[in-house]
Amino acid sequence: MGDLGVLGAWLLLAIVVVGAVLIAVASVWLSSRIVSRDTGPEHNSILSPFLTVVGLVYGALLGFTVVVGWQQFLSAEVNVANEASTLMTMYRQTIAMPQPEQSQLREQLRRYAEATQGPEWGKQEFGHIRNEGRAAIADMYRIVGRGQSGVAANPINQAFLSELTTLASDRSTRIVDAKPRIPPLLWCSLIFGGAVLILLTSLMRLRSDRGHMMLVSAVTVLLGLLLYLVYTLDHPFGPVGVTPRPFAHALMVFDLVDSGT
């Protein structure tokens, strides 16, 4: 979803809403051709139990999917915030380091933040993530791990190495979080269940065809919006998902540290 852009995401949402209305109108029109207008009240009485059962089962399945997707979305958002926070902590730790290690590590920390919030952001979702961030982590390990200058024995460098390990772990978690979690079989179940629910709603008989179309349209649009929400939550780093603002804030903090504030 990250390749759609913000405009593409809103365009997709508009297509979902318009498509849902068209499906509702078409389904009511077809049902009016299938079910005779002379059908008695017993028709709705027969369909009501089926509609109730399908509605309850599908509502439980869809609600569970939305809740799980929301939890995963929040987890990805929190992990991004933690990753940026770790960067800021590491940058502050360089204050106690001697030259030239201080300048070298600050350069790599900036390289990591700029690459993550820029070229890398949104690309991890499609497996096209660039190597700038990973290369920066590897270079920081090399800089801190140099033994000839005695840097590794410094306690502040031991703390820096611990934070660097946390940063690498947060990065790996972010890449894993970008991969969709909902299996295709569950998507098929959600789409099929929604189609059955729309079909049963369309087969009900009302005195006004226009009112029937409005009712079915409302149900269909609601289902379409919920499925779109599930899709968005399953792609947390899309254009309307988690933003790289924490890394932009980290760069601002870097500037403040450089200025001595």
Side-chain angles (χ1 to χ4, degrees), residues 93-113:
Q93 288 175 336
T94 60
I95 296 175
M97 293 181 179
Q99 295 290 352
E101 285 78 15
Q102 182 188 89
S103 299
Q104 293 173 348
L105 289 173
R106 288 187 175 184
E107 179 183 356
Q108 295 304 320
L109 288 169
R110 285 186 175 274
R111 176 187 176 191
Y112 183 94

Side-chain angles (χ1 to χ4, degrees), residues 7-19:
L7 181 60
W10 287 108
L11 180 60
L12 179 60
L13 177 59
I15 292 174
V16 169
V17 174
V18 174

Side-chain angles (χ1 to χ4, degrees), residues 69-148:
W70 178 247
Q71 290 176 344
Q72 294 175 350
F73 181 89
L74 289 180
S75 176
E77 189 175 35
V78 170
N79 183 73
V80 168
N82 291 337
E83 186 178 359
S85 177
T86 301
L87 276 177
M88 290 182 282
T89 300
M90 295 170 66
Y91 203 88
R92 291 189 180 97
Q93 288 175 336
T94 60
I95 296 175
M97 293 181 179
Q99 295 290 352
E101 285 78 15
Q102 182 188 89
S103 299
Q104 293 173 348
L105 289 173
R106 288 187 175 184
E107 179 183 356
Q108 295 304 320
L109 288 169
R110 285 186 175 274
R111 176 187 176 191
Y112 183 94
E114 291 172 353
T116 302
Q117 73 150 353
E120 286 192 2
W121 193 258
K123 299 298 182 183
Q124 65 266 28
E125 184 175 350
F126 304 96
H128 300 152
I129 188 169
R130 299 179 61 177
N131 294 326
E132 284 294 319
R134 184 174 61 185
I137 290 178
D139 288 342
M140 282 188 281
Y141 271 114
R142 294 189 186 98
I143 294 170
V144 180
R146 289 172 185 163
Q148 62 269 24

Side-chain angles (χ1 to χ4, degrees), residues 44-58:
N44 290 347
S45 301
I46 295 174
L47 284 179
S48 293
F50 295 97
L51 183 60
T52 301
V53 172
V54 172
L56 288 175
V57 174
Y58 185 76

